[in-house]
Amino acid sequence: MAIREILTDKDPVLHKKCHSVTQFDQRLWDLIDDMRATLEDAGGAGLAAPQVGILRRVVVLMDENDEMLELVNPELIAQEGEQDGLEGCLSVPGLWGYVKRPQKVRVKAQDRKGAWFEAGGEGIVARCFCHEIEHLDGHVFTERVDHIYTSEEIEQLWEEEEKGN
Ligand code: NI
């Protein structure tokens, strides 16, 4: 297992559509293991293969039980409700924005051996599923926001909110 470099959204790889995975072999397992190590090291909520420079439809993310889930060829199959919340990305360090997402999602995906399963989540986990699957189509959350905030601006916003309450 190795920690791979996380590319920023300035890299063209982050803006390309990823290919489906068709070979469930050692090469895929090495990629997934490296992505797990990289996500754990970065302390993020999710990581998509293009963020480590690989144009394949592979995602790892933290589920509702705070366990890491591996998704190969994931597809959104159901969604419900709406939420508006703050979002960030390991490829866009230090910047944040408010993005509307479904409140609840259901996803189907293959595991590392190719077996299909379903997973899903609500709130912040639903947000993460949507965010990571969008990475596989070459999209970054900053395309969806009206305004980009720096970490300092977010802190200031929260302080003001606290004073208002
Ligand atoms: Ni991201």
Side-chain angles (χ1 to χ4, degrees), residues 18 31 47 60 64 67 69-70 74 77 79 90-91 114 116-117 138-139 164:
C18 296
L31 169 65
L47 185 71
V60 293
E64 274 159 343
E67 279 174 34
L69 208 60
E70 304 170 357
I77 52 171
Q79 50 180 286
L90 292 172
S91 293
W116 286 96
F117 66 99
H139 297 299

Side-chain angles (χ1 to χ4, degrees), residues 51 88-90 131-132 135:
Q51 293 181 275
C89 178
L90 292 172
H131 176 118
E132 300 308 331
H135 269 304

Side-chain angles (χ1 to χ4, degrees), residues 79-85 87 99-104 123 126-128 130-132 134 140-141 144:
Q79 50 180 286
E80 210 182 295
E82 192 182 74
Q83 56 169 322
D84 192 12
E87 206 164 303
V99 185
K100 280 198 176 68
R101 298 285 189 191
Q103 177 57 27
K104 203 171 161 182
R127 174 173 297 284
C128 189
C130 296
H131 176 118
E132 300 308 331
E134 278 186 0
V140 179
F141 83 96
R144 292 170 149 275

Side-chain angles (χ1 to χ4, degrees), residues 5-9 11 13-14 50-54 90-92:
E5 187 196 347
I6 297 176
L7 306 175
T8 72
D9 68 331
D11 199 300
V13 163
L14 266 290
Q51 293 181 275
V52 293
I54 305 293
L90 292 172
S91 293
V92 191

